[in-house]
Amino acid sequence: MAASSNSSLSGSSVSSDAEEYQPPIWKSYLYQLQQEAPRPKRIICPGEVENRPKYYGREFHGIISREQADELLGGVEGAYILRESQRQPGCYTLALRFGNQTLNYRLFYDGKHFVGEKRFESIHDLVTDGLITLYIETKASEYISKMTTNPIYEHIGYATLLREKVSRRLSRSKNESRKTSVTNEEHTAVEKISSLVRRAALTHNDNHFNYEKTHNFKVHTFRGPHWCEYCANFMWGLIAQGVRCSDCGLNVHKQCSKHVPNDCQPDLKRIKKVYCCDLTTLVKAHNTQRPMVVDICIREIEARGLKSEGLYRVSGFTEHIEDVKMAFDRDGEKADISANMYPDINIITGALKLYFRDLPIPVITYDTYPKFIEAAKISNADERLEAVHDVLLLLPPAHYETLRYLMIHLRKVTMNEKDNFMNAENLGIVFGPTLMRSPEDSTLTTLHDMRYQKLIVQILIENEDVLF
């Protein structure tokens, strides 16, 4: 890993706005320790070894004992060899000199080399990363254990200078519509600012809907030096040095990720599509109360389709429904679903139902599903209604708001029953399996629960003024 000056290392590329202010908060201690860590020294076998695995090089010394390996390493810090076990032929060991002793690790290969969770392209990289980790954890174990005690994440004082500029850009959307997302121009200006600064700006923007959302952390390999945006310490190692939120881009140590609050502010440039995207992630990324697909489709249906016979029961052409899906994925809120483009209202109802079916977590979440089913089984109508109301309060806020808005719309549909022939029971049959999915992937369970799914949606429609 190449060394760089600490003054320019902020863990992310920074926009021209951010260049006006260089945050002096990144802690260099762990970075300095990584630079001091022993370098790997390969001890080459002088002769050709028979039956050497093709994925090992000349550092492989064949079947030798631990004592022979220790002698070959010669007490040199960072020296290493590979050997085949005497006790278990076909099993391989990395013998590594560190801390004035020889450490032996069982070595594995499945296309990549590993001794633990991390997988490496080469033995050299594995040893380099191992020496860095061993050195830092030996020298700074107490320091590492206290990294999360005073995180910069709680203050973000250095973001203050950028907050006003970013918030001013974001607030332009107020003049257009309460449901308008951050524009492309605003997005371009914000996207190069670190996720931490971005979070601060969005948190202080009063147009941002304050839905709680957990971060979607995934193990990440950072190219070049990176610093944790929670504790401000260096993220050490060659690969998989930490985790990155795939929705907002927050970079933190794996151990720090357990302390980060549920305040993910998804970045539009990381949200690749509208359909199949987590509901809360989508509404936070677009700065809306509900998924814009829901708002736009319902607005169109209420404008020209409430009296359409068999509304939501009659299917539109699948190809045209896919076209609408692609339009939303491509154009977002600018998607054209007008009568000029799609004269058949059943295409729009089909696109809305498809959106709900494609959600990775249904509107009625997997966590609340069993509770809704149990509520539906209560025979006393008043007690059943009370139980349904109690479970509704367990839904995530964005899910609750989406369901509330949809039920208001479906109630309007039933008020036109004399024309569209769709009552609450019919809509329950359509929307039960669309809004609710059992966490158990069982056909038998699905069939058994269908009548309860229908009943729950029917209750929600008929009592939307009481329940929400």
Side-chain angles (χ1 to χ4, degrees):
M1 184 178 289
S4 303
S5 65
N6 287 337
S7 61
S8 63
L9 298 172
S10 61
S12 62
S13 56
V14 186
S15 72
S16 57
D17 282 342
E19 284 168 3
E20 297 172 15
Y21 181 64
Q22 290 296 327
I25 51 89
W26 305 120
K27 301 169 186 175
S28 62
Y29 176 53
L30 298 180
Y31 176 77
Q32 291 167 354
L33 286 182
Q34 173 159 310
Q35 298 305 100
E36 296 169 7
R39 298 292 185 262
K41 301 173 182 66
R42 184 172 70 146
I43 305 300
I44 294 173
C45 183
E48 192 63 38
V49 179
E50 286 188 20
N51 302 320
R52 182 181 73 191
K54 61 182 179 181
Y55 39 83
Y56 294 144
R58 294 186 62 190
E59 69 276 6
F60 182 75
H61 288 249
I63 300 177
I64 59 173
S65 66
R66 287 191 173 207
E67 292 73 25
Q68 288 173 302
D70 193 40
E71 188 177 335
L72 286 168
L73 293 174
V76 179
E77 198 78 347
Y80 71 95
I81 65 167
L82 305 184
R83 63 183 181 86
E84 187 173 357
S85 172
Q86 284 184 320
R87 298 175 183 173
Q88 295 177 288
C91 295
Y92 304 100
T93 299
L94 164 68
L96 172 65
R97 193 72 186 174
F98 177 81
N100 297 319
Q101 60 180 322
T102 300
L103 307 175
N104 291 277
Y105 297 94
R106 179 80 176 272
L107 191 60
F108 301 92
Y109 182 80
D110 63 356
K112 291 188 177 181
H113 304 278
F114 62 100
V115 297
E117 291 182 358
K118 293 185 179 183
R119 282 162 164 72
F120 299 84
E121 296 290 345
S122 70
I123 292 293
H124 179 83
D125 286 349
L126 184 152
V127 175
T128 302
D129 186 87
L131 287 168
I132 290 169
T133 301
L134 286 167
Y135 188 78
I136 288 178
E137 290 181 353
T138 299
K139 293 282 186 179
S141 59
E142 187 176 353
Y143 181 89
I144 291 170
S145 70
K146 295 179 179 178
M147 284 194 310
T148 60
T149 56
N150 187 29
I152 60 160
Y153 198 83
E154 300 301 325
H155 333 291
I156 343 166
Y158 73 89
T160 305
L161 295 179
L162 292 174
R163 231 178 245 154
E164 185 179 345
K165 292 180 181 179
V166 179
S167 295
R168 191 161 55 241
R169 292 189 183 109
L170 293 172
S171 65
R172 290 175 190 162
S173 59
K174 289 182 184 177
N175 299 326
E176 298 169 13
S177 166
R178 184 182 165 109
K179 295 185 281 290
T180 301
S181 69
V182 179
T183 65
N184 290 335
E185 179 185 352
E186 291 156 355
H187 166 60
T188 303
V190 176
E191 69 180 1
K192 291 184 180 178
I193 300 174
S194 81
S195 59
L196 197 57
V197 174
R198 194 177 158 280
R199 182 181 73 88
L202 289 170
T203 300
H204 285 73
N205 174 35
D206 60 7
N207 191 45
H208 197 82
F209 295 105
N210 192 28
Y211 291 143
E212 184 178 277
K213 180 189 178 313
T214 57
H215 289 270
N216 186 16
F217 286 121
K218 295 180 180 176
V219 175
H220 189 78
T221 294
F222 299 95
R223 303 301 176 191
H226 268 67
W227 269 252
C228 174
E229 295 180 61
Y230 183 78
C231 72
N233 281 288
F234 179 66
M235 300 168 80
W236 65 90
L238 279 193
I239 69 167
Q241 303 96 326
V243 293
R244 168 175 286 175
C245 176
S246 57
D247 294 334
C248 72
L250 184 71
N251 303 317
V252 296
H253 292 111
K254 187 175 181 180
Q255 60 265 48
C256 289
S257 68
K258 300 169 187 174
H259 300 274
V260 176
N262 297 334
D263 62 351
C264 177
Q265 304 285 4
D267 191 349
L268 268 175
K269 73 183 176 71
R270 297 179 182 277
I271 309 301
K272 304 301 181 186
K273 52 189 177 180
V274 172
Y275 279 65
C276 303
C277 177
D278 172 69
L279 192 152
T280 303
T281 300
L282 187 71
V283 298
K284 286 182 76 72
H286 285 270
N287 192 27
T288 56
Q289 278 186 292
R290 299 169 295 275
M292 43 103 168
V293 178
V294 176
D295 279 5
I296 294 171
C297 286
I298 287 179
R299 192 160 55 237
E300 191 68 23
I301 293 162
E302 292 185 355
R304 60 183 174 98
L306 285 178
K307 297 183 185 297
S308 178
E309 185 175 338
L311 188 68
Y312 286 111
R313 180 176 54 78
V314 177
S315 300
F317 286 113
T318 303
E319 295 84 353
H320 293 166
I321 291 171
E322 285 294 325
D323 286 345
V324 173
K325 173 182 176 178
M326 289 173 62
F328 276 116
D329 283 342
R330 182 182 63 246
D331 304 324
E333 62 187 14
K334 295 180 181 177
D336 183 3
I337 62 168
S338 65
N340 292 332
M341 284 294 292
Y342 303 101
D344 181 5
I345 197 64
N346 298 311
I347 294 169
I348 309 306
T349 59
L352 180 59
K353 289 186 293 182
L354 179 63
Y355 170 75
F356 289 129
R357 286 198 303 273
D358 278 356
L359 285 172
I361 299 174
V363 175
I364 290 177
T365 61
Y366 293 124
D367 288 344
T368 59
Y369 180 90
K371 297 180 177 67
F372 274 109
I373 296 298
E374 287 306 309
K377 293 177 180 178
I378 298 173
S379 56
N380 182 281
D382 290 338
E383 292 178 7
R384 184 171 58 217
L385 194 64
E386 186 66 32
V388 169
H389 177 262
D390 290 345
V391 184
L392 278 173
L393 299 178
L394 300 177
L395 288 172
H399 287 245
Y400 178 92
E401 169 58 25
T402 301
L403 188 61
R404 181 193 70 83
Y405 190 72
L406 177 63
M407 292 306 121
I408 292 172
H409 163 65
L410 294 181
R411 183 74 177 271
K412 292 178 185 176
V413 173
T414 64
M415 291 167 66
N416 290 271
E417 183 187 351
K418 66 181 191 317
D419 296 303
N420 60 37
F421 301 105
M422 294 301 289
N423 58 28
E425 184 178 1
N426 293 336
L427 290 169
I429 293 170
V430 173
F431 277 95
T434 302
L435 300 175
M436 305 177 70
R437 296 198 298 273
S438 170
E440 298 176 28
D441 189 15
S442 164
T443 306
L444 192 62
T445 302
T446 302
L447 290 172
H448 179 265
D449 288 352
M450 281 183 70
R451 59 178 172 149
Y452 301 117
Q453 293 173 349
K454 180 211 75 170
L455 181 57
I456 286 295
V457 175
Q458 182 180 342
I459 291 169
L460 292 175
I461 295 170
E462 291 175 341
N463 301 278
E464 60 84 14
D465 56 334
V466 176
L467 290 171
F468 294 96

